[in-house]
Amino acid sequence: MLIRLRLLDPGRVRLRIAVRTVLAAVAALLVSGAVGRAAGLPGGMVVIATVVAVMVSRSLHATSLPHRLSALAYVPMVGVLAAFVGRLMVQNAWFGASVFVAAVGGSRYLMRFGGKVRRFGRLALTPLIAVLVTPVPPSAAKATGPLWGAVCGVIAVACVLGSQQLLPSRPTREAAAAAGDFVRGAARLRALAPGSSRHAKAALTLHRTALTVEDRLDAARLPAGADRTPLDTLAAAVLTAEVTAGQPTAAPAPVVRPAPGDEPAGTGGSGGDGSAQAAPEQPTTSERAAPAQGVPAQGVRAPVVRFRVAGTPAAVGSSGTGGAGTGGPGADGPGGGGALDEALAAVRAAAAAVRGVRAAQGPAPEPPAPAARPGGWRNPQPQARLAAQLAVAMAAAFAVGHLVFPRHWSWAMITAFVVCSAARGRGDVVHRSGLRVAGAFIGAVTGTLAAHLVAGDDAAAITVIFCYLLVGLWLRETTYAAWAFCVTSLLAVLYGLSGEQGGALIVQRPEGILLGSACGIAAAYFVLPLPTATVLRGRSAGALRVLADLLVAARAPEPRPAEIRRLARRFDRATRELAVAAAPARAHRTLIRGTLGHPAWASRRAAPAPPHAADWVDALTACAHAGRALALSDAAGLAAARPQLGLAARNLGQVRRRLGNRPDAAPPRPVRTGPPALISLDAALAELYDRLPAPPASATPPPSSQAPAATAAG
């Protein structure tokens, strides 16, 4: 149980961020309370400063010092506007709500740009939403002038900056701690039966832990002239151990590989996206994948011997993970005791060396501004579409909520903002709405009961609020339902402090949440909709571009293993972002196949269900496993496999054409010889090609100067 909790947050990275955020919120509460008492202001100012501190802390995490200091000017400036809009909503609800929705939509629209404009748009949302969630009585709103909104912003940002200085991020220590969790997770994975669902979940958890180590190493900013070798050593050791832990412990099925001389014609040379012609008879997916079945992806450091049986010690060279052969099973076989133990020992030694390296948190790279889309205003950018959906959803939530819940219309409006503000597409809005409804229904009940228990004791109520906040911030990245549960619960306790109590609230809060979710879903479907498939194609196109760069680096005249490992991790990150965007698609697949798979429905289907979008996302994710194994190849092995790498690169070009709905895409030609990892990668590409939907009959190929996956951007 303890190891599961540790792997839930490897290195306790998110827990430290949550503690730092709560510390900033507590400081903002104390400072604003002292200022409010000195100035004779109502308590609404305290809540606004605390909420702004929580939201600004997330926005300013992993940013540069100039950006953090600029928040001292941006946030107070928007705070004045937010306070003015709040007073306007008290005096004239409909006009004030129109101004508020326009301000929120405009701030969200600014996030479609890059650089400082995007950062300003994100920071501008914090005071606006703070005004929405803060229960300020009309008399208090009139007594508090708009300039006090700027004071709240200054206090919040100053407390956030102070907490970041008091509890700074230590990327190297966090990476070393996550590496220790990785070793524990690998030992747990080895104890599970291969092929079971628990083994698959443990392998996925181990991969996430490895990426956490890599992320913290990349975030480390060393002093000038410092040696980065210990960090690179730990990254290479974790990659080697991850690939070794994922190998089967049973003897693989014997597979006879043809000699390099039997390679089909046209497999040599270079060219990543060339238009190789298809063979007269294309094998099926299972036939293309046959050479990769049972072939360990580890041990790609030596050329394959001609006409040897795969799985025998004579067929492959020595492994780079402790000198173990990759052929047969045993204590030193793939995934066995010797190779994995030595790989984990290397991780422990590298983590101990990294733990002593002093490094600061470097700023995260800013996402670039999206390229212009064809069609102009008739085909707006995805961020512009999402901004329009957010504005319409909040306007509808206010209008309907004001008519149905005159006193609690803000509940519906908050829900509409939550489900639409960070959505990636139409399916994501539905998915987030479902998670919010599930978490909020439970949170509304427990939060209302907690508010009743601590009624009359302000200190106990504030303690409960911050406990909910800490847990919610910690588990936010794990599941959104936990965040929705904690936020709904703490808001119920917060409203209880302002005098809102009663059993009727247990029913009214879920009703307001359902109403806001319905407004968000309606806006996502009818206002410039952004289909989930379009989002997945865009993320997949980006991941395949990284894979193409990986194959180009592997086919270089003098391959650099460090560069190949870096690109393999970039591909892992790209597939991780794809997996996050594919969560709604996977939930939809589980729902429809669970329903249609019922015997009562299955008997009515004349044909099997077509491939689902989540199916080709899973196929693309499988390419990452082979990419990690390929990254462990040495320069000599890659040089010997240049013809096979060229064919795999051309097959990747065909997959990218298929993804872009280009009718000139041809089925990939199988790679029959070469390193086992390359054969596995080619089989995964062939599987991905088969699972992608065929282009429509009316599709026309784009100009030759356009990138193969350009039409998949979105």
Side-chain angles (χ1 to χ4, degrees), residues 89-400:
M89 293 177 70
V90 172
Q91 298 173 358
N92 191 327
W94 292 92
F95 180 70
S98 301
V99 177
F100 180 84
V101 170
V104 172
S107 300
R108 182 64 178 83
Y109 179 77
L110 293 179
M111 295 178 64
R112 70 174 291 269
F113 302 98
K116 297 181 180 180
V117 178
R118 178 184 178 90
R119 293 196 297 263
F120 175 76
R122 187 173 183 178
L123 285 174
L125 286 173
T126 55
L128 293 169
I129 302 306
V131 171
L132 181 63
V133 303
T134 303
V136 180
S139 58
K142 295 178 181 179
T144 305
L147 291 180
W148 287 107
V151 175
C152 292
V154 171
I155 293 174
V157 176
C159 292
V160 169
L161 297 181
S163 67
Q164 292 179 348
Q165 292 297 321
L166 184 62
L167 293 177
S169 296
R170 301 296 184 189
T172 51
R173 295 181 185 178
E174 294 168 353
D181 295 334
F182 174 86
V183 173
R184 298 181 182 91
R188 177 173 175 264
L189 176 66
R190 182 166 52 181
L192 299 176
S196 62
S197 59
R198 293 183 61 190
H199 186 275
K201 293 179 180 178
L204 180 59
T205 302
L206 186 68
H207 174 60
R208 292 172 179 169
T209 306
L211 282 184
T212 300
V213 177
E214 190 75 18
D215 290 341
R216 300 316 298 156
L217 292 176
D218 288 348
R221 185 179 60 187
L222 301 179
D227 186 12
R228 198 176 176 86
T229 301
L231 279 65
D232 296 336
T233 302
L234 178 58
V238 169
L239 178 61
T240 302
E242 181 185 359
V243 174
T244 306
Q247 302 314 306
T249 57
V255 178
V256 178
R257 304 197 194 105
D262 296 335
E263 186 74 21
T267 60
S270 59
D273 296 329
S275 56
Q277 297 297 325
E281 295 182 2
Q282 293 296 330
T284 62
T285 301
S286 59
E287 293 172 343
R288 286 195 293 263
Q293 293 175 354
V295 179
Q298 178 72 12
V300 296
R301 297 185 179 276
V304 180
V305 180
R306 297 176 55 146
F307 290 108
R308 289 286 186 179
V309 177
T312 62
V316 293
S318 63
S319 168
T321 58
T326 60
D332 293 335
L340 182 57
D341 287 342
E342 293 189 16
L344 295 180
V347 173
R348 293 190 192 96
V354 167
R355 187 175 288 108
V357 177
R358 297 183 61 86
Q361 170 79 39
E366 287 287 343
R373 294 168 62 95
W377 61 271
R378 295 183 180 87
N379 186 22
Q381 295 281 356
Q383 294 293 341
R385 293 171 180 262
L386 297 176
Q389 293 172 9
L390 174 63
V392 173
M394 294 190 70
F398 172 81
V400 181

Side-chain angles (χ1 to χ4, degrees), residues 440-492:
F441 261 76
I442 303 175
V445 176
T446 60
T448 303
L449 294 177
H452 178 72
L453 292 176
V454 298
D457 191 345
D458 293 350
I462 294 174
T463 302
V464 171
I465 288 175
F466 281 113
C467 289
Y468 274 125
L469 179 62
L470 178 63
V471 175
L473 291 170
W474 181 40
L475 299 179
R476 181 172 186 169
E477 301 298 330
T478 302
T479 171
Y480 181 75
W483 172 248
F485 165 79
C486 293
V487 169
T488 305
S489 300
L490 70 87
L491 286 178

Side-chain angles (χ1 to χ4, degrees), residues 321-690:
T321 58
T326 60
D332 293 335
L340 182 57
D341 287 342
E342 293 189 16
L344 295 180
V347 173
R348 293 190 192 96
V354 167
R355 187 175 288 108
V357 177
R358 297 183 61 86
Q361 170 79 39
E366 287 287 343
R373 294 168 62 95
W377 61 271
R378 295 183 180 87
N379 186 22
Q381 295 281 356
Q383 294 293 341
R385 293 171 180 262
L386 297 176
Q389 293 172 9
L390 174 63
V392 173
M394 294 190 70
F398 172 81
V400 181
H402 200 274
L403 296 176
V404 179
F405 307 107
R407 294 184 57 190
H408 304 296
W409 53 266
S410 61
W411 294 344
M413 207 168 180
I414 292 172
T415 300
F417 172 81
V418 168
V419 300
C420 293
S421 60
R424 300 173 183 86
R426 183 170 57 191
D428 197 26
V429 174
V430 179
H431 188 241
R432 290 170 67 88
S433 297
L435 294 178
R436 175 163 177 79
V437 169
F441 261 76
I442 303 175
V445 176
T446 60
T448 303
L449 294 177
H452 178 72
L453 292 176
V454 298
D457 191 345
D458 293 350
I462 294 174
T463 302
V464 171
I465 288 175
F466 281 113
C467 289
Y468 274 125
L469 179 62
L470 178 63
V471 175
L473 291 170
W474 181 40
L475 299 179
R476 181 172 186 169
E477 301 298 330
T478 302
T479 171
Y480 181 75
W483 172 248
F485 165 79
C486 293
V487 169
T488 305
S489 300
L490 70 87
L491 286 178
V493 180
L494 176 63
Y495 289 141
L497 287 175
S498 63
E500 294 187 7
Q501 296 179 6
L505 297 178
I506 298 180
V507 178
Q508 293 178 0
R509 283 196 179 96
E511 290 176 348
I513 292 169
L514 279 176
L515 179 61
S517 299
C519 293
I521 293 174
Y525 269 82
F526 299 107
V527 180
L528 300 175
L530 186 61
T532 303
T534 302
V535 178
L536 296 182
R537 285 181 181 271
R539 297 288 179 96
S540 300
L544 291 179
R545 283 194 294 270
V546 178
L547 181 57
D549 295 338
L550 173 62
L551 292 178
V552 169
R555 289 161 43 225
E558 296 182 0
R560 295 182 296 173
E563 177 67 14
I564 296 175
R565 287 195 299 268
R566 185 185 67 83
L567 289 172
R569 283 310 191 191
R570 276 189 58 195
F571 186 46
D572 280 336
R573 292 190 180 96
T575 54
R576 178 178 60 183
E577 295 298 324
L578 174 63
V580 172
R586 286 172 171 162
H588 180 261
R589 178 181 61 184
T590 302
L591 178 63
I592 62 172
R593 290 187 177 175
T595 303
L596 298 180
H598 192 274
W601 288 92
S603 59
R604 303 180 185 180
R605 295 185 61 88
H612 196 276
D615 295 338
W616 51 266
V617 170
D618 294 341
L620 179 54
T621 304
C623 296
H625 301 290
R628 289 192 294 272
L630 185 64
L632 296 182
S633 303
D634 57 8
L638 293 175
R642 287 196 68 194
Q644 294 87 348
L645 287 168
L647 178 58
R650 284 193 292 274
N651 289 341
L652 174 60
Q654 300 299 339
V655 172
R656 295 176 69 183
R657 286 180 171 84
R658 180 88 164 191
L659 179 66
N661 282 329
R662 292 181 56 169
D664 58 341
R669 303 177 63 181
V671 174
R672 302 186 183 278
T673 62
L678 180 60
I679 296 176
S680 300
L681 176 60
D682 184 76
L685 288 174
E687 181 72 16
L688 174 59
Y689 182 92
D690 290 342

